[in-house]
Amino acid sequence: MMFEERRLHPAAIIFNILKVIKELFFSLLIVLVAGNFLIFSIALGAFSILASVYGILSWYRFSYYVTDDELWIEYGIFKRTKRSIAKNRIQSIDLTESVIHRIFKLTRVQIETASGGEKAEAALSAVSLKDAKELREVLKNSGKAGTLVLEEMYLAQKEISFSRLLLAGITSGGLGIIIGFIVVGLSEFDELIPEMVYNYTYEWLVTASIIFIVLIILGVLAIIWLLSILWTLLRYGKFTIRRTEDELFITRGLLERKQLTIPLHRIQAIGIEENILRQPFGYAFIFAEIAGGNTDGKLADSTILFPLLHKREIAAFLDEFAPDFSWQEEEVEWTKPPPAALPYYYVRSSVLFLLASIAVFIFFRSFAWIPIALFALSLGLGWLSYKDAGFYLKGNRLLLRYRHVKRTTVLIQQKRIQAFEKKNHALERKWSLASMKISILSNTGGKHYHVKNLEEEKVNQLGDRIAYRNKLE
C-alpha cells in the first residue's frame, strides 16, 4: 500500500453541515415566513441536530487510500460505497482553499479523469496541505513520493501585476454578472416582498423626473461596476501560470485560492476574447477549452489562461505556454462575409430592441427613448458583428472569429474538430450564403462555434478540406 488509509480532517464536519444548510436554507426560510415563531424554532432546532449528526457521521464513514495502481474511496452512512480510480485515468488534481480551509491550513482536493462530466470524479473536502501535496505526487508519479515539481523545472512562468489586474477589473464588463446575481437573488425572495412595495415603486417611477431617474440608474450602475472590479480582484488576485513539459499549473484567488492543473494534450482550442471596453485599447483575456472534467468550477466551461494581455503580448504568451496554438495575427487573411450578409447581421442584433421600442411607445410613451436608443446601439453592434466575422485555415490550424457583444477569436487544431456542419435557409440560398458550426470536445461534452452568413462556396471548400484531412488522419 503506497498511501495508508486516512480520514479527512475533522474540519470536513463543518463542510458537511454547510452543505446541508445550503440545500435546505430556502425551505427553512419558507417555514419562517409561512408559519409562526414557535414552529420555526422547533424546525430550526430539529434541523440543527440532524445537520450536525449528518456532518459527523459523513466524516467518520469517509476514508481514502492509494494502492500501487488505484485510488480507493469509501463513504456512505447506511449504504456503503467503495470506488476506485485507476491512476492512469487521472488527468488533473486541483487544490482549492476557501476562507475556512485557509484558517485550518487545509485544502480541497478535486480529481479529474478523462471521462469528463460536470462534476469531479472524486473530491476530498478537507485535507491538510501536506497530505494533499503528498497525495498529488503519489498519484501523478506512480507512487514515488517526494518527487515534487521544483521551481527550476518550470519551462515558463508568468504572474499578473496588480496594475494589470486592476485594469482587468476596470474593463471586465462584469456588470452583467453582478446584475445577474442580483436578479437571481430578487427572484428567490420575490414572494417575500410586499405588493405595496411594487405599487409604491411604480408610482414613484411614473411621477419622478427623467433626469432624476437617469441619475439613480447611473449611481446604481457605478456601484455595480465597483463590485465587479472587487470581484475580479478577489477571483484573479495573485494569478500565476507555470508550464512544465506536459502540463500547465494555474494558481489564482485571494479569498478562495485555486490551484488548477491542465495537461497540454487536453487543450482542444485557445480563445482570445475582447469586450467593448478592452478592444479599443488592444487588450484581451486568453482562455482554453479543455476536454473532460470541470476544470474551472461552475462559473465557466472554459479555463482562463491569463486574465488580461495586450494583443502584442499574445503571440509570445502562446509560444511559451501553448506552443501548439501559437499564431501571428498580422499573417492571417480572413475569409469574411460578403456585403449581401450585412442585412442579416442588422436584423439579428436589433429585432428584439425594435419590438421593445414599439411596445414601450404604445404603453409607456414617455420612456420610449430608452429602447429607441438601445435599438440604435444594436445597429452598431450588428455592423461590428458583420465586420469581425470570418475564418482562416492554414495547414492544420483553423481560426474562427465572431462577435455577439464580445469579439472572440478561436484557434483550433484541425485534428481536434469533432464535427463540421453547414446550414442555410431559403433566403440565404437565394444570395448564395451559408452558416457553419464547428464542434470540439469540452468540459461539458461538446463546444460549438458558429460563424454566420458566409459565402456558400467558401463554406463548402472549408468543409471539404476538413473532411479530406480527417480521412488522412
Side-chain angles (χ1 to χ4, degrees), residues 175 210-225:
L175 289 175
I210 292 178
I211 294 177
F212 186 67
I213 292 174
V214 170
L215 290 175
I216 292 294
I217 293 174
L218 291 177
V220 171
L221 290 178
I223 294 172
I224 295 175
W225 180 55

Side-chain angles (χ1 to χ4, degrees), residues 23-82:
E23 293 176 351
L24 299 179
F25 174 76
F26 286 108
S27 299
L28 197 63
L29 195 62
I30 291 173
V31 173
L32 173 61
V33 175
N36 57 42
F37 184 74
L38 178 61
I39 295 176
F40 171 74
S41 299
I42 295 173
L44 180 61
F47 171 80
S48 301
I49 294 172
L50 291 175
S52 300
V53 171
Y54 170 82
I56 294 171
L57 290 178
S58 296
W59 167 78
Y60 183 76
R61 300 281 282 173
F62 189 105
S63 63
Y64 65 98
Y65 60 90
V66 181
T67 60
D68 288 339
D69 301 312
E70 295 172 312
L71 166 68
W72 288 87
I73 300 175
E74 297 184 31
Y75 58 93
I77 298 176
F78 301 109
K79 180 182 177 180
R80 296 292 289 166
T81 301
K82 188 173 182 179

Side-chain angles (χ1 to χ4, degrees), residues 13 88 330 363:
I13 297 172
N88 57 15
E330 57 271 15
F363 298 104

